Each structure stands twice: as C-alpha cells, then as structure tokens.
Amino acid sequence: MPDHRPQTIAYPATGARPYGPGSELIAPHVVVLFGATGDLARRKLLPGLTHLAASALAPSIRVVGSSLEDLDDEAFRAFAREAVFGFGIHKPTAEQWDAFAANLRYVPVTAGPEALAEAVAAAESELDEGSLRLHYLSVPPKAALDVITMLDQAKLVERSRVVMEKPFGTDLASAVALNDEVHETFAESQIFRIDHFLGKEAAQNILALRFANGLFEPIWNRNFIDHVQIDVPETLGLDERANFYESTGAYKDMVVTHLFQVMAFVAMEPPTALEPRPISEEKNKVFRSLLPVLPAHVVRGQFTGYRELPGVARDSDTETFIALRAQLDNWRWAGVPFYLRTGKKMAQGQRIISIAFKEAPRTMFPANSGVGASGPDHLTFDLADESKVSLSYYGKRPGPGMKLDKLSMQFSSQEGEHSGDTLEAYERLILDAMRGDHTLFTTADGIESLWERSQPMLDDPPPVRPYGEGSWGPNAIHQLITPHAWRLPFERVWREKLKA
C-alpha cells in the first residue's frame, strides 16, 4: 500500500501486558456516551455499562450521556432504566440499579462544549485522582468529526480514549481523510475502532482452538483445507435505517467492518505472543495479502420491496445482500477460496464460520457406502451469543456391512463450568478500551488496506439482483461457490443442552 502519510499504528508499548483477563487495576473512568438516546445505546451500551458497573470487572465509573434530545438528568435516567430492564441480558437488582442511576448525567449536544466539560469535571470530582475518560461515539459517521471537534473545544482530549463505530470511511480516499482528520485531535494509540463481532466469545475461541491445540494448527493450511465460508445472513430488515443504508449497502456496512475482520482471525499466522501488538501485526498481514476484490467474484442482491422504503430511491442500486469469493496471496492460503455472504431479510439469522477440509480418497469404500455423499468434513463455529463449535466427520452406521453416515461432535460454551462468566461483546470491548488493549480493535493501516483492495468492486460493481424476502439470496450465489455448496441452511440442527 502506498505510504501516503506517516504510519501510526495502534500498538501499546513493547512489554504490554499479555492478552486476556489480567489482575492489574483499571483506573476509574468517566464514560462520555454520545448518541446516548440512540438505538445502539438503548439495546447494548447502557445495559452493558450497567452490568459492568455491578460486576467486579470494571472500575468505578460515571456516565455522561449526550445527544440531540433535550433531556435533564432524571429524564435520561428514566430512559436508561427502560433500556436496561427492557434489553439487558443481566438484569440488575434494585440496589444495583439505584447505584448505577445515581452516576448518570446528561448534557444535550446543543448545550455546547462548555456544558459538557462542566459535567465531566463534576463526574471526575467524585472519582479518585488519576481517573481517565472514555468517549464512546455511538453516532452516524457524518457526525463523528463534529463530536471530535466538540471534545477538542471542551479540552477533553487528555487522559482519554475514543471508541468509534463503523463504517470507517466508504472507500480508500474517505478512510484516509477520516483518519487524518481524527489524528489532528487524537493519537492513534487513543483510537479504538470497534467491531463487535471480534468481541464475541466464539470469535476469540478461534485463536484458542488454533494455537493451543496440536490437533488443528498442523492442518490449518492449503494442504488440508479446501475452502472457508463466513456466512452472516440476517432476518432483520432496515426499519428506520433505510436512509442511512441507502448510501452504504451491505458491502460497506458488513463486509469491510465485520466479515473481513473475522476472516483475519481464521487466516492469521501465529502471533509471537497473545498481546495487542503481535496480533495486530498478523491481522494486518492478512489484509495486505488479500487479492483485489473483483466484480466477477461478487454477487449483489436487493430484497423485493426495498425501493419502496422511506428514504430509498425508486431506482436504487444499493445492495442489501452480498456474496463474494476472496483469496489470500500468501504461502498458507494460496489457492484456498474464502466465501463470504451476508444480507437482510433472509431465511434465517445465523453467524457461522465453516472450515471445509479436503476429502480423503474413497477408493477402498464401495460405491454405495455413503462416503462423500454429504460433502467434506467441516469444522464449524457459531458466532451467536451462545458460542458453539462442531466437527463433522464420516462414521460407520451401526449394523452389518460398511455403511457410513455424517456424524458430528459438538460443544457449547453454555456446557462449561464457567458459562456464567460470559461477557456480551460490547461489554468486553468497552472493558478492553478502558484497559487500553487494542487486540480486538482495528487499526488505521488495516482499514485502509481493506478499502484499497475493495476499490475494483467499488469502481465497477455488478448489477443488483432481486431476491425474495425469507430466501437465501439471488440464485447466482450457487454459481459463485460451485463446485462447492453453501453450508447454510443446515441439514442438521445444533443439539441443545439437556436441562435437568
């Protein structure tokens, strides 16, 4: 990638603490939540902050909410209470809620930087000396720079870190411009570009399964793996987001910021240590080895009825579905296709990674034995909140003769003795940002590499193809993946844990 500016990568200093739960103390924090009355804050951030505050994991925190709505502190607390008890996975006790609510403040954006600075100063006065600030920008991308400017004017840049939501630009030029503008106020080490997919237990379990087990790492390469699928269909539509989505589409909204990030965990080389700097280096190597995304390797779709939504052009070419074939030009993965798919209004809501192994020779088995009839062996990760892993293989059917069936070994995180310790993705990532741990966040260099390799498809996108609501996308997806087949829909369901 051209060195268009000095590279400042989000790496903590050499000797940073190892990745994973540590015993070090985290400084008290004031969390400044922009977009505090938005959908993400209501569904994820406020419930997550409440759970962290009630747990032994987080330090003492104070929350200053800010948004366009003209609320006072009590009205914001009422909004937060409805969000926490309506959407929170972990419901607080009355005592826990009262303690958290007492630490909530609200400042309308219209009150200006001086009022925001006063609210933060008041919150800091209640904390021990040495407190830090975490600014969470739960705002549309076009509003992010205004918030950055406001923080600068309020003199809230020192002792702070800033969490930014996707998308990080819409192409290479806009990503470079956005990074340059943010860097005028915040150093790269202060910036945390969030991808909640990487905060999920199942995504991190890829690293554990690959690098802690002698069973898998020796076969994690082009000699044994036939292809990889990363499949994230959604049943949800766009509701009131259609106007935003119209200028974004599935590729910019999901592939660059989510699916490629997950692909990096699957494809990365072993890091020298489970620390932020080595992991970031290996992820960025994956992005740099990605071959350009060509229009011939992409299928774009649009669900019927999308053009009738408010804020959508009647001749809209925006895709609500995308499937593509990606390839990595490196020693480990040369010739191994990565198939990525995501879309709105599809048949099921799933989040899976499926590793398809090369098939063994069948010469010793009779033609009617069943071997090969159900496709290759697969290792499958389910990225849902209840993370699961499944390994499918051929085994002998009980009875006379040599008849084979496809069997599977399955594991669910809910079956382990530590299942109650699971953190929701946003909770984990907020905690990591407080620690200053960039392991599960993306860097300026990584994002810009992905946009550069996406440019051929962005410059000449294939036409959108219609697909029906509740389907698996346009029929052209089968030609894209041939001679293979999509793993979804599953022919078998995940086994559920038996309750006593």
Side-chain angles (χ1 to χ4, degrees):
M1 179 176 177
D3 188 11
H4 52 78
R5 61 178 174 77
Q7 295 296 311
T8 51
I9 308 304
Y11 296 152
T14 302
R17 83 178 165 77
Y19 171 74
S23 58
E24 80 285 1
L25 294 176
I26 307 175
H29 269 74
V30 174
V31 179
V32 184
L33 178 56
F34 293 93
T37 59
D39 190 61
L40 179 60
R42 185 166 58 101
R43 292 177 176 271
K44 296 293 184 180
L45 303 181
L46 289 169
L49 287 168
T50 305
H51 181 230
L52 287 176
S55 73
L57 299 172
S60 297
I61 64 173
R62 300 293 184 270
V63 178
V64 177
S66 186
S67 187
L68 295 174
E69 280 73 15
D70 189 13
L71 306 178
D72 58 18
D73 290 350
E74 287 306 315
F76 180 55
R77 288 167 183 154
F79 173 87
R81 188 183 193 285
E82 182 180 346
V84 169
F85 286 94
F87 295 99
I89 298 174
H90 309 279
K91 309 296 185 190
T93 64
E95 182 179 359
Q96 289 171 336
W97 168 251
D98 289 342
F100 180 74
N103 296 327
L104 293 176
R105 290 176 170 81
Y106 184 84
V107 179
V109 170
T110 53
E114 295 80 7
L116 180 65
E118 290 176 6
V120 172
E124 289 178 334
S125 68
E126 300 172 1
L127 298 172
D128 295 336
E129 187 176 351
S131 64
L132 301 177
R133 304 156 181 163
L134 183 68
H135 306 304
Y136 198 115
L137 275 57
S138 179
V139 298
K142 61 184 179 182
L145 291 177
D146 291 337
V147 173
I148 296 292
T149 300
M150 185 177 186
L151 290 171
D152 190 25
Q153 293 173 345
K155 296 180 172 55
L156 294 176
V157 176
E158 292 184 3
R159 297 184 289 109
S160 73
R161 301 180 177 112
V162 57
V163 179
M164 298 186 66
E165 281 284 344
K166 66 176 179 73
F168 315 111
T170 57
D171 54 19
L172 178 59
S174 62
V176 170
L178 175 62
N179 285 326
D180 285 346
E181 291 190 65
V182 175
H183 287 152
E184 291 178 4
T185 303
F186 288 95
E188 178 70 9
S189 60
Q190 294 176 279
I191 303 169
F192 292 75
R193 299 171 187 82
I194 195 167
D195 173 15
H196 72 273
F197 273 45
L198 298 187
K200 293 180 176 295
E201 286 284 347
Q204 297 166 72
N205 201 30
I206 298 170
L207 300 182
L209 186 140
R210 282 191 61 187
F211 301 132
N213 297 287
L215 172 64
F216 293 108
E217 181 54 27
I219 61 172
W220 208 267
N221 57 58
R222 58 186 168 82
N223 296 319
F224 298 95
I225 292 177
D226 185 78
H227 67 278
V228 178
Q229 295 182 34
I230 301 174
D231 210 350
V232 187
E234 297 181 286
T235 58
L236 298 175
L238 294 168
D239 298 325
E240 298 177 1
R241 295 180 65 236
N243 188 38
F244 156 77
Y245 203 84
E246 175 69 355
S247 61
T248 306
Y251 187 85
K252 297 175 182 178
D253 185 51
M254 289 290 294
V255 176
V256 174
T257 52
H258 290 324
L259 274 62
F260 278 152
Q261 306 299 327
V262 173
M263 183 185 73
F265 266 26
V266 175
M268 63 188 282
E269 294 296 320
T272 56
L274 285 178
E275 296 178 2
R277 177 177 178 136
I279 290 178
S280 291
E281 285 178 338
E282 297 306 332
K283 286 170 56 184
N284 286 341
K285 286 179 185 177
V286 173
F287 299 146
R288 290 192 291 270
S289 71
L290 177 66
L291 290 173
V293 181
L294 302 178
H297 298 163
V298 175
V299 174
R300 298 168 68 234
Q302 187 184 90
F303 66 77
T304 54
Y306 171 75
R307 295 179 180 179
E308 280 69 54
L309 295 176
V312 174
R314 295 299 172 257
D315 59 349
S316 172
D317 190 52
T318 299
E319 78 279 356
T320 62
F321 168 96
I322 193 156
L324 63 98
R325 180 169 73 245
Q327 289 192 286
L328 302 177
D329 187 17
N330 60 31
W331 187 267
R332 182 182 292 262
W333 297 109
V336 178
F338 286 72
Y339 297 102
L340 283 57
R341 176 174 65 169
T342 186
K344 302 291 186 183
K345 293 273 190 179
M346 297 184 68
Q348 294 179 21
Q350 296 272 4
R351 297 173 179 179
I352 72 154
I353 304 167
S354 186
I355 316 293
F357 295 99
K358 291 185 176 180
E359 297 190 58
R362 309 173 191 173
T363 52
M364 66 178 287
F365 294 96
N368 62 349
S369 65
V371 66
S374 299
D377 300 337
H378 285 83
L379 178 65
T380 303
F381 297 87
D382 187 337
L383 300 185
D385 291 331
E386 183 182 340
S387 61
K388 301 172 184 176
V389 181
S390 171
L391 178 62
S392 69
Y393 59 96
Y394 285 99
K396 183 183 178 300
R397 183 188 306 173
M402 183 57 73
K403 294 288 188 179
L404 283 79
D405 287 326
K406 206 61 177 289
L407 309 175
S408 69
M409 293 184 288
Q410 298 184 8
F411 168 77
S412 168
S413 62
Q414 299 303 306
E415 297 173 358
E417 60 179 299
H418 300 292
S419 60
D421 297 339
T422 301
L423 288 176
E424 200 274 338
Y426 281 100
E427 296 170 359
R428 176 184 306 278
L429 293 171
I430 288 172
L431 201 59
D432 280 355
M434 288 180 176
R435 287 192 177 110
D437 187 336
H438 285 86
T439 303
L440 300 177
F441 297 84
T442 56
T443 67
D445 183 50
I447 285 294
E448 292 173 12
S449 292
L450 290 174
W451 283 123
E452 182 183 42
R453 284 141 184 83
S454 300
Q455 206 61 49
M457 196 280 293
L458 297 177
D459 289 341
D460 185 24
V464 293
R465 302 167 184 260
Y467 66 96
E469 295 185 21
S471 72
W472 287 99
N475 289 332
I477 61 171
H478 303 297
Q479 287 74 50
L480 175 71
I481 202 172
T482 188
H484 314 298
W486 293 100
R487 285 278 281 160
L488 290 177
F490 282 138
E491 293 183 2
R492 67 173 36 133
V493 297
W494 290 97
R495 289 195 296 269
E496 298 295 333
K497 179 181 178 181
L498 296 176
K499 295 181 171 57

